[in-house]
Amino acid sequence: MARPIRKAVFPVGGLGIRFLPATKAMPKEMLTVVDKPLIHYAVEEARAAGIEEFIFVTGRGKSAIEDHFDLSHELQQTLAAKGKTEEIEQLRSWLPGPGRVAYTRQQEPLGLGHAVWCARNLVGDEPFAVVLADDLVLSETPCLKQLADVHGETGGNVVAVTEVPRESTNRYGILDIANDDGRLVEVAGLVEKPDPAAAPSTLSIIGRYILLPQVFDRLARLKRGAGGEIQLTDALAEMIGAAPFHGLRFEGERFDCGSKVDYLRANIAFALDRDDLRSEVAAFLRSFCSDLALHDR
Ligand code: G1P
């Protein structure tokens, strides 16, 4: 029987170079989709999967994330003075409780594997989740909950996977497939950012993982991989054979918000998913698209 997943690690130390100048003075995880920062979606998804402890691996210039998940007395007082009790309730409703959030800093940008390793003492000796806020998933059942459910059945490491065009394999961790029932994939190997010609498949890892704590022993070797960085993918590849390892083709749509076009798509898709915005946004899109079609003629 697999142990429940109580802790999630959010690596949020990255610089967000692709989104400059938006990310010059603001963490990339604070970029908003509709009206919530990316990291807010990530934490909401984790809560919906039963996560109780939220561990952020931050870096310099990321204090806006800490402020976001803290009470703002000034804001509370201003809202109270204006009688905005609903807004106060709203703001409180999603705050993790006291002592449920922990921060540690990744002092050098040595890669995702290194960021996760920085959280080892906060995670301890239990299976845990890793959530990359750049990857946003629109789904019926929260993506991390889908993974946690699979982990409950299979144990071991579980990652969320999706097909990508072959020319994009050099942007992701790619699976070598042992067995595939169309939903669950048994993993034979993993390669970080392979050239399209060398990629063992086009099934890529997205930023959702359930991991065994033994991954920390592998990461502790601090071996450099693709791009000279300490790669989580490499540590996971070394564990194949020692523990079960599955990829889940999750239900839902993934938006890679590290890409500008996908970030824009996410804004539209999430707005269309909202009862308060759908009809107005749909009307705008219809008129926009018909103007565009006229233009293209
Ligand atoms: C990281 C992982 C990669 C994974 C990707 C998902 O890459 O190293 O294996 O496919 O996240 O978004 P990064 O986006 O940090 O380059």
Side-chain angles (χ1 to χ4, degrees):
M1 182 67 190
R3 291 159 73 184
I5 311 300
R6 301 184 312 119
K7 299 184 180 183
V9 174
F10 302 85
V12 292
L15 286 178
I17 290 167
R18 272 184 283 179
F19 272 84
L20 284 168
T23 50
K24 181 162 181 266
M26 181 185 82
K28 64 174 172 150
E29 297 79 11
M30 292 300 289
L31 286 168
T32 49
V33 167
V34 187
D35 56 5
K36 287 190 258 182
L38 288 170
I39 190 66
H40 188 114
Y41 287 97
V43 166
E44 261 182 1
E45 184 182 325
R47 286 180 83 138
I51 297 297
E52 295 166 3
E53 305 214 7
F54 306 85
I55 300 165
F56 293 84
V57 183
T58 70
R60 295 175 64 79
K62 298 282 182 169
S63 53
I65 296 176
E66 296 184 35
D67 291 340
H68 186 76
F69 292 105
D70 194 6
L71 265 184
S72 165
H73 294 286
E74 228 171 65
L75 181 58
Q76 299 263 125
Q77 275 165 16
T78 310
L79 290 173
K82 290 178 187 293
K84 297 203 176 287
T85 41
E86 207 176 300
E87 282 81 357
I88 294 177
E89 277 310 301
Q90 236 295 315
L91 281 176
R92 273 185 171 275
S93 67
W94 51 259
L95 272 190
R100 295 294 186 187
V101 188
Y103 298 92
T104 186
R105 274 197 183 195
Q106 183 185 22
Q107 292 156 326
E108 293 175 273
L110 297 179
L112 177 61
H114 180 255
V116 171
W117 179 72
C118 288
R120 65 199 179 282
N121 291 334
L122 293 166
V123 171
D125 187 25
E126 59 184 285
F128 63 103
V130 174
V131 181
L132 306 186
D134 282 2
D135 277 321
L136 201 54
V137 183
L138 186 59
S139 57
E140 287 280 316
T141 307
C143 184
L144 197 63
K145 166 91 170 63
Q146 297 178 44
L147 288 191
D149 288 348
V150 168
H151 175 83
E153 292 161 24
T154 62
N157 292 323
V158 187
V159 293
V161 297
T162 192
E163 292 287 347
V164 292
R166 186 161 278 275
E167 65 267 21
S168 307
T169 57
N170 56 6
R171 288 168 46 196
Y172 302 109
I174 301 290
L175 266 57
D176 188 0
I177 298 169
N179 263 307
D180 187 352
D181 73 3
R183 186 180 87 98
L184 217 51
V185 176
E186 259 178 63
V187 184
L190 284 177
V191 193
E192 181 66 13
K193 300 189 171 68
D195 283 337
S201 78
T202 51
L203 204 51
S204 89
I205 304 177
I206 75 153
R208 300 289 183 280
Y209 307 76
I210 303 285
L211 303 179
L212 297 178
Q214 288 77 12
V215 71
F216 292 123
D217 303 334
R218 312 282 170 159
L219 289 170
R221 297 173 194 166
L222 304 178
K223 235 167 52 189
R224 306 284 180 133
E229 296 188 340
I230 298 159
Q231 297 290 354
L232 181 59
T233 302
D234 295 343
L236 297 179
E238 285 176 17
M239 292 172 74
I240 294 169
F245 196 154
H246 293 89
L248 172 70
R249 285 196 181 81
F250 56 97
E251 165 273 310
E253 188 174 0
R254 174 277 197 108
F255 300 90
D256 177 354
C257 292
S259 122
K260 284 176 198 167
V261 173
D262 244 25
Y263 174 67
L264 292 171
R265 282 181 56 232
N267 270 281
I268 294 168
F270 276 74
L272 288 173
D273 192 53
R274 287 251 305 246
D275 291 343
D276 58 334
L277 296 173
R278 185 182 309 110
S279 63
E280 265 184 88
V281 174
F284 149 75
L285 280 175
R286 275 188 210 104
S287 112
F288 190 86
C289 291
S290 72
D291 285 357
L292 207 60
L294 280 177
H295 221 233
D296 284 349
R297 249 182 228 160

